[in-house]
Amino acid sequence: MAENVFIALQNNPDAQPIIEAIVDDNPGAVVNDSPGMVKIDCPKRLVIKRVTVEEKIGGEFNLQDIHLTLISLSGNIEEDDDEFVLHWNF
Amino acid sequence: MAEKPKRLNLNQKYQLMTRGLDWETTYQSMDEVFPYDRYEGIKIKDWDKWQDPFRLTMDAYWKYQAEKERKLYAILDSVAQNNSQLNISDGRYMNAVKIWMQGVTPLEYAAFRGFAMLGRGFRGAGARVACQFQSIDEMRHYQTQVHAFSHYNKYFNGFNQYSRIRDRAWYLSIPKSYFEDAVSAGPFELITAISFSFEYVLTNLLFMPFVSGAAYNGDMATTTFGFSAQSDESRHMTLGLEIIKFMLEQHEDNLPIVQEWLDKWFWRGYRLLGLVGTMMDYMLPKKVMSWRQAWEIYWEDNGMALFNDLARYGLRPPKHHEAATKEKYRITHEFWSTIYQFSHATALYTWIPTTEELDWLSAEYGELFDTVYRPRYEYWQELHEKGERFFQKRLPVVCNVCQIPIFHTMPDDPLMNCCLVSEYKGTKHQMCSQGCLDIFNREPEKYCQAYIPPQQIYQGNCGGASLEDYRKWLHIKDEETGEYYGSEDHVMWEQWQAQAAKPTGVAPAS
Amino acid sequence: MAVKFIGDSYDFPCANRQENYGGDMNIYIVWDHHLIYCAPNTYRLPPNMKFRDFLEQVFAPDYFQHPDVEKVDWEKGVWQMENQPWQPDFDKTFAENGIAHNSFIRVATPGLEGLHGVGN
């Protein structure tokens, strides 16, 4: 059954710590490289944690800054100051 | 370390800057101030239940958009300064960019208009604010695309008449009519059509593999505005999904209306995207992904996951999606065959793929490609080599709904054109598929008015019945049309390649 | 379901009604299994044209780059109108054959199934 959520980010230095944080926090995440972009699939739920991104960049990070590198996504979104979550409810 | 000053959290700020700035009108009733958000039959009990999951507010919007624009224009300047037109993979590639300029860019402007109406039309502040953002986004996309392509317009044919041919060229009535169908519907249908069916369900197929393909083919301008636009699209897609869930949660009577819209707009969008698939399969000299594979990833996997999620509201996947999946092995080849034989009436060049490219298509598409389309191309190639380049001189029958020439074949017979008929007010109308026939029969009052180019040409409304008269009316020069090999673009590209190969250090002519 | 609209009525004429053709009519016709010509063709013609004249002088020449056109015998074709079996009288006019404005005709020619016999 089709059940992946996904997020796609530009393949640039700004996105790199976000991609690394996603891989750390989502054991089911599969990273697909394509020219210029990275698409990350994950079954049912994918989370981006602010603290993990901040560890990667060694400084503060505002989760809304993902808008600068975001290409596309699929899934219901829950966002607050600490987490950005994509999920399906089935 | 000093304690950080207290700030509003995301949700508090969102509530204050949407609901907090809205009010119930009293001098005039809300129904008179917002007269158009009820006639479609959608019932909303509590507009406050509509939430933007990104919680985007105007201050953050300006901040992020300014940052995106700063990055984008720095790169566009660099594209122009560094003669980046020399870095694309092949001169043929530019024809994909021409289709974008001629067909997609005007849609951005149409979307700006549509969302400006929505930003005024809904009575809920949250939805209205999100639509206002989107309206401004769409204007940005239109402007950045015109700006990016203006550099290519200095060198290549096919760009300079984009706004005129948008209203006149037969093949551009396909995207144009799609958007005008949506904008002439009510506000809830418009947002379902564009934000959900098109942006959420289908545009990943346009913006992701195609723009990634632009990157792979060395087109820095398109890659940059494409991904910059797509960062806004994520927000638009989210608006689309939220509005669907909102309508379905607000009242059970909304379900059948929403389902009918999804059925209609999935098929309309799918038909339109056939053109994008053709760009991916035929107009990117360096391939990223075939249409078939993109369809499997973005529809059969990601799209079905979405509909698995929406099933809890009683929503089912759109009608005829199985037919779309059956067509994944043929739609782009049928479309390319059509553009190939009618390219003398377009501001585009077409060609027969190279042997290497045919091998790639064989590997991606298998038996049907090897049995039908490859021999077809080889025959056309033979004719071309004999000096008899194949063009179709007669006007085709065009679908009265999607406005695409009826090259489509029957779902279970890829060798038979599918042409279905519906009679309304004593006039027969032809459609390309059961999907388009259903759309016509649901609202024949609307589609009987469609401006179908071959019909209008024969009625004498397009400058004359001959191809020469028609091209003149389009303001397309003969040199901008037809076969790529030997064209002005091709000759220029070959000169650039020859100069680049010389070790003299002489700058390429421009 | 009918169209939903604002205002008192929603009633417009068909854009492709016959009166826009000055006494002529549109007809649509496809030669099945000859898909190098991608779609059915559209013609604006007078209703009193003989069907045979149309086939020999107008329709067949449009397929001039298809080798099958030299071998075709239209009288052996299998004909349909509006996707239903139908037999034309080749020496009668469109009108006498019941071909009306915007009629869609298809013809298959058994034995001539396009290039390589695969419908091209």
Side-chain angles (χ1 to χ4, degrees):
Chain A
M1 185 172 178
E3 59 169 15
N4 280 338
V5 296
F6 77 78
I7 190 163
L9 299 163
Q10 292 186 48
N11 193 356
N12 65 21
D14 289 347
Q16 208 51 47
I18 306 172
I19 296 165
E20 289 172 18
I22 292 171
V23 171
D24 281 8
D25 289 332
N26 300 276
V30 175
V31 179
N32 301 289
D33 278 304
S34 184
M37 71 175 203
V38 174
K39 177 176 183 256
I40 306 168
D41 295 306
C42 198
K44 289 281 183 80
R45 184 174 188 278
L46 180 150
V47 61
I48 304 175
K49 293 181 180 168
R50 179 178 54 80
V51 290
T52 316
V53 182
E54 289 183 339
E55 280 167 22
K56 302 285 175 195
I57 60 180
E60 283 190 31
F61 182 73
N62 180 342
L63 273 178
Q64 281 197 318
D65 286 354
I66 63 169
H67 281 293
L68 294 172
T69 50
L70 188 58
I71 290 173
S72 187
L73 46 77
S74 186
N76 297 293
I77 298 170
E78 306 282 344
E79 184 177 5
D80 61 25
D81 295 85
D82 299 317
E83 286 191 349
F84 178 92
V85 181
L86 290 167
H87 64 94
W88 294 128
N89 292 321
F90 56 87
Chain B
M1 200 195 234
E3 196 166 318
K4 276 197 277 184
K6 278 208 166 162
R7 293 163 67 178
L8 293 169
N9 73 28
L10 203 54
N11 196 38
Q12 289 167 325
K13 197 168 81 170
Y14 176 69
Q15 295 303 332
L16 282 170
M17 292 190 67
T18 56
R19 279 71 173 163
L21 294 173
D22 193 36
W23 71 96
E24 280 273 325
T25 60
T26 51
Y27 296 170
Q28 297 287 337
S29 72
M30 289 290 274
D31 280 345
E32 285 181 89
V33 175
F34 299 102
Y36 302 134
D37 69 356
R38 291 195 168 159
Y39 81 93
E40 297 166 280
I42 292 292
K43 295 174 182 164
I44 303 299
K45 289 186 273 196
D46 181 3
W47 271 102
D48 261 350
K49 289 282 190 313
W50 193 88
Q51 297 274 342
D52 169 13
F54 284 130
R55 311 273 189 268
L56 192 69
T57 52
M58 192 50 93
D59 57 326
Y61 177 74
W62 290 132
K63 183 180 109 182
Y64 289 116
Q65 297 307 96
E67 182 67 18
K68 288 180 195 173
E69 290 276 276
R70 206 161 33 240
K71 289 182 173 189
L72 173 63
Y73 278 95
I75 295 172
L76 293 186
D77 284 351
S78 156
V79 164
Q81 282 168 355
N82 293 297
N83 281 315
S84 293
Q85 75 281 359
L86 301 173
N87 298 336
I88 57 170
S89 56
D90 184 60
R92 292 176 300 159
Y93 165 78
M94 199 47 66
N95 291 284
V97 183
K98 294 176 196 179
I99 291 191
W100 193 303
M101 172 95 235
Q102 297 168 9
V104 179
T105 301
L107 295 189
E108 307 278 13
Y109 189 81
F112 147 71
R113 295 175 61 208
F115 280 86
M117 290 196 289
L118 296 177
R120 170 64 183 83
F122 287 129
R123 74 187 65 198
R128 223 157 60 233
V129 167
C131 290
Q132 287 164 12
F133 293 151
Q134 180 160 351
S135 180
I136 300 167
D137 292 337
E138 304 289 1
M139 178 55 102
R140 175 175 99 88
H141 301 174
Y142 170 70
Q143 290 177 331
T144 55
Q145 287 168 31
V146 172
H147 192 120
F149 296 143
S150 68
H151 179 69
Y152 295 135
N153 180 48
K154 295 174 194 165
Y155 304 97
F156 296 92
N157 284 329
F159 288 97
N160 61 330
Q161 291 292 331
Y162 80 95
S163 64
R164 190 195 309 266
I165 61 177
R166 178 252 180 193
D167 287 326
R168 294 191 171 189
W170 60 273
Y171 59 111
L172 301 177
S173 78
I174 301 165
K176 178 183 167 164
S177 67
Y178 171 90
F179 237 92
E180 292 190 345
D181 189 351
V183 172
S184 58
F188 282 105
E189 183 178 345
L190 169 58
I191 198 167
T192 302
I194 304 305
S195 298
F196 184 72
S197 295
F198 198 59
E199 308 221 54
Y200 203 100
V201 181
L202 295 170
T203 49
N204 281 326
L205 286 154
L206 168 65
F207 278 96
M208 295 174 63
F210 181 76
V211 176
S212 184
Y216 200 37
N217 283 275
D219 177 4
M220 203 201 286
T222 301
T223 306
T224 309
F225 83 68
F227 284 149
S228 184
Q230 189 63 17
S231 65
D232 298 343
E233 302 293 332
S234 318
R235 195 156 23 75
H236 306 168
M237 294 161 64
T238 303
L239 172 62
L241 181 54
E242 290 307 308
I243 207 90
I244 292 291
K245 292 194 292 188
F246 175 64
M247 285 190 283
L248 297 174
E249 282 166 7
Q250 283 290 308
H251 203 290
E252 61 188 17
D253 291 354
N254 295 342
L255 174 62
I257 303 176
V258 172
Q259 183 73 59
E260 283 197 3
W261 287 340
L262 285 189
D263 291 345
K264 168 181 170 181
W265 286 100
F266 168 80
W267 192 257
R268 290 286 267 130
Y270 163 67
R271 274 291 183 248
L272 182 58
L273 283 186
L275 194 52
V276 176
T278 308
M279 289 156 72
M280 285 165 53
D281 279 349
Y282 285 91
M283 305 180 96
L284 298 179
K286 290 171 76 176
K287 316 289 185 190
V288 168
M289 184 183 281
S290 65
W291 168 259
R292 175 194 60 74
Q293 196 189 354
W295 185 256
E296 287 166 359
I297 293 173
Y298 291 105
W299 172 254
E300 293 176 42
D301 187 7
N302 298 147
M304 292 318 287
L306 168 67
F307 280 94
N308 287 335
D309 190 70
L310 291 171
R312 69 181 187 276
Y313 297 107
L315 214 57
R316 53 162 175 74
K319 260 165 75 178
H320 307 305
H321 75 91
E322 303 90 342
T325 293
K326 280 182 187 167
E327 287 182 356
K328 72 184 174 186
Y329 291 104
R330 61 177 110 141
I331 188 86
T332 61
H333 318 308
E334 293 175 343
F335 220 135
W336 182 250
S337 296
T338 302
I339 307 174
Y340 180 80
Q341 64 194 265
F342 285 109
S343 61
H344 54 327
T346 66
L348 301 167
Y349 300 121
T350 53
W351 55 86
I352 296 298
T354 63
T355 305
E356 207 177 30
E357 289 164 351
L358 291 173
D359 290 345
W360 179 81
L361 289 163
S362 289
E364 288 293 315
Y365 289 97
E367 195 190 341
L368 189 64
F369 186 82
D370 284 337
T371 318
V372 178
Y373 310 110
R374 189 164 185 149
R376 178 186 302 176
Y377 294 145
E378 287 165 352
Y379 178 67
W380 283 340
Q381 182 66 27
E382 280 171 36
L383 288 179
H384 186 204
E385 285 167 10
K386 283 195 288 181
E388 298 166 13
R389 170 47 156 104
F390 185 81
F391 290 115
Q392 164 65 297
K393 303 288 196 301
R394 186 63 65 179
L395 301 178
V397 181
V398 165
C399 175
N400 214 98
V401 172
C402 70
Q403 305 215 0
I404 299 174
I406 295 189
F407 64 72
H408 305 92
T409 46
M410 297 187 176
D412 294 310
D413 186 351
L415 304 182
M416 277 281 276
N417 286 109
C418 184
C419 181
L420 306 175
V421 183
S422 184
E423 190 158 334
Y424 178 68
K425 283 190 176 177
T427 298
K428 295 188 178 91
H429 300 81
Q430 275 68 27
M431 265 66 67
C432 69
S433 55
Q434 192 62 43
C436 282
L437 183 69
D438 287 356
I439 293 168
F440 183 91
N441 286 340
R442 185 173 161 269
E443 294 178 310
E445 313 89 321
K446 187 169 191 177
Y447 297 98
C448 81
Q449 305 167 60
Y451 181 102
I452 303 297
Q455 299 170 359
Q456 294 295 325
I457 291 169
Y458 277 150
Q459 287 178 29
N461 300 327
C462 305
S466 78
L467 180 66
E468 289 67 32
D469 289 343
Y470 180 60
R471 275 205 298 241
K472 203 168 164 191
W473 183 72
L474 295 178
H475 291 242
I476 296 176
K477 295 178 294 172
D478 293 359
E479 310 87 84
E480 292 181 288
T481 69
E483 171 63 36
Y484 172 75
Y485 289 103
S487 69
E488 288 183 346
D489 277 13
H490 177 230
V491 169
M492 177 182 67
W493 180 255
E494 291 296 310
Q495 282 171 356
W496 289 351
Q497 297 307 103
Q499 284 166 332
K502 280 183 198 159
T504 56
V506 176
S510 56
Chain C
M1 199 183 90
V3 72
K4 300 229 175 99
F5 56 90
I6 309 162
D8 299 328
S9 73
Y10 188 97
D11 185 20
F12 301 92
C14 294
N16 201 37
R17 59 196 185 283
Q18 191 172 0
E19 67 189 66
N20 293 349
Y21 286 82
D24 290 343
M25 60 184 198
N26 255 1
I27 72 157
Y28 306 135
I29 176 165
V30 63
W31 184 7
D32 282 334
H33 296 130
H34 290 78
L35 281 167
I36 62 167
Y37 292 87
C38 64
N41 288 349
T42 303
Y43 298 90
R44 174 179 170 160
L45 293 165
N48 62 2
M49 186 175 205
K50 276 217 176 72
F51 197 55
R52 186 185 302 281
D53 291 347
F54 164 71
L55 291 173
E56 291 176 357
Q57 294 162 29
V58 182
F59 186 60
D62 278 348
Y63 282 81
F64 76 102
Q65 280 174 296
H66 202 297
D68 280 358
V69 82
E70 291 169 9
K71 301 174 226 158
V72 69
D73 178 354
W74 299 116
E75 298 205 25
K76 290 187 184 150
V78 178
W79 294 84
Q80 294 188 348
M81 177 151 21
E82 318 304 6
N83 296 310
Q84 299 299 320
W86 169 73
Q87 184 55 51
D89 183 329
F90 297 89
D91 294 309
K92 288 190 169 164
T93 64
F94 288 133
E96 289 162 347
N97 267 301
I99 300 168
H101 179 56
N102 293 349
S103 288
F104 171 59
I105 296 165
R106 64 193 322 158
V107 57
T109 48
L112 294 180
E113 263 91 25
L115 295 169
H116 325 100
V118 294
N120 271 330

